[in-house]
Every structure is written in structure tokens, then in C-alpha cells.
């Protein structure tokens, strides 16, 4: 994301980047402040949604719960020409979202990686 921001003048085709970043708890959100700072300075192109899947504790005012198509679908553009969807995470999450995205006709636009 930092590279895309740095070279943004050379990337006119880059319309929008939406990053959905999920962890079990807020303390596991690596680069949290850096991502939020980048979203603040590049707000016309970058949307960052931080989310936790377990008890967030006091002070968390971000999204909660597991990421699913209900959260992703509104962020997908109606014109999907040139759309790329990158997905990375544990197998249970990626299996579900890959299947949902493929059913929505995004198989060609989808790149994913499973870990664990």
C-alpha cells in the first residue's frame, strides 16, 4: 500500500483500494497505526476497515465479527472491469470467501493465499 501511495501519480488506473484487515483482538493488528495513517492521507482512494473477531475489550470502536460477503459486497464496484481481489487468511475464512466470491462471478478477479 505504501508503494501504491508513493507511485500513485503513475497508477492512474488504480481507482480504489479497500483493505479489510481482521485479527482476533486489537493487539494482533500489526501495522495498525501505519495503516490508519495511510488511510487518512489517501482517503480519496484508500479505505481501511480494521476488525476483531473475539472480545475486543474496552476502548475498541472498530468493526467486530468474522469478515463475510455481507461486509464485502457493498464495497465491490458495479463495473468490475479491472477489478482484482486479493484474499489471505486461515483456510476456514479463505475457503468460505473464495466460494462466495466465485459464486458472485469474481473467480477471474480473485487471487488468494491460505496460511496455517
Amino acid at each position: 500500500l505504501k508503494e501504491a501511495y508513493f507511485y500513485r501519480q503513475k497508477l492512474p488506473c488504480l481507482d480504489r483500494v479497500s483493505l479489510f484487515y481482521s485479527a482476533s483482538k486489537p493487539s494482533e493488528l500489526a501495522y495498525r497505526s501505519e495503516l490508519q495513517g495511510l488511510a487518512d492521507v489517501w482517503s480519496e482512494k484508500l479505505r481501511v476497515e480494521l476488525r476483531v473477531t473475539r472480545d475486543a475489550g474496552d476502548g475498541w470502536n472498530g468493526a467486530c465479527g468474522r469478515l463475510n460477503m455481507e461486509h464485502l459486497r457493498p464495497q465491490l464496484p458495479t463495473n468490475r472491469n479491472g477489478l482484482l481481489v486479493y484474499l489471505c487468511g486461515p483456510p476456514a475464512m479463505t475457503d468460505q470467501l473464495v466460494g462466495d466470491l466465485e459464486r458472485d462471478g469474481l473467480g477471474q478477479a480473485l487471487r488468494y493465499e491460505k496460511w496455517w
Side-chain angles (χ1 to χ4, degrees):
L1 289 175
K2 287 171 72 173
E3 288 287 312
Y5 176 72
F6 184 77
Y7 291 107
R8 65 191 179 280
Q9 302 304 323
K10 295 179 181 182
L11 297 169
C13 63
L14 184 62
D15 267 350
R16 182 177 67 170
V17 176
S18 294
L19 173 65
F20 294 87
Y21 182 21
S22 177
S24 294
K25 52 190 176 182
S27 63
E28 294 177 354
L29 291 165
Y31 304 104
R32 176 180 172 184
S33 61
E34 197 171 351
L35 289 168
Q36 289 173 320
L38 188 56
D40 289 344
V41 299
W42 201 21
S43 60
E44 73 277 6
K45 298 272 188 182
L46 177 62
R47 177 180 185 268
V48 173
E49 179 183 302
L50 303 175
R51 137 180 324 269
V52 296
T53 58
R54 296 207 173 96
D55 183 21
D58 294 335
W60 177 253
N61 59 0
C64 295
R66 194 171 190 178
L67 184 62
N68 60 41
M69 284 303 291
E70 184 179 315
H71 306 110
L72 293 179
R73 198 171 279 118
Q75 299 305 315
L76 296 172
T78 52
N79 179 356
R80 296 180 177 182
N81 291 333
L83 176 69
L84 285 175
V85 177
Y86 293 97
L87 180 62
C88 178
M93 182 193 81
T94 53
D95 289 346
Q96 179 66 49
L97 287 174
V98 164
D100 291 342
L101 289 162
E102 286 175 341
R103 280 187 288 283
D104 273 14
L106 294 170
Q108 295 293 337
L110 184 58
R111 309 292 181 272
Y112 62 92
E113 176 182 343
K114 298 179 187 184
W115 45 263
W116 284 356

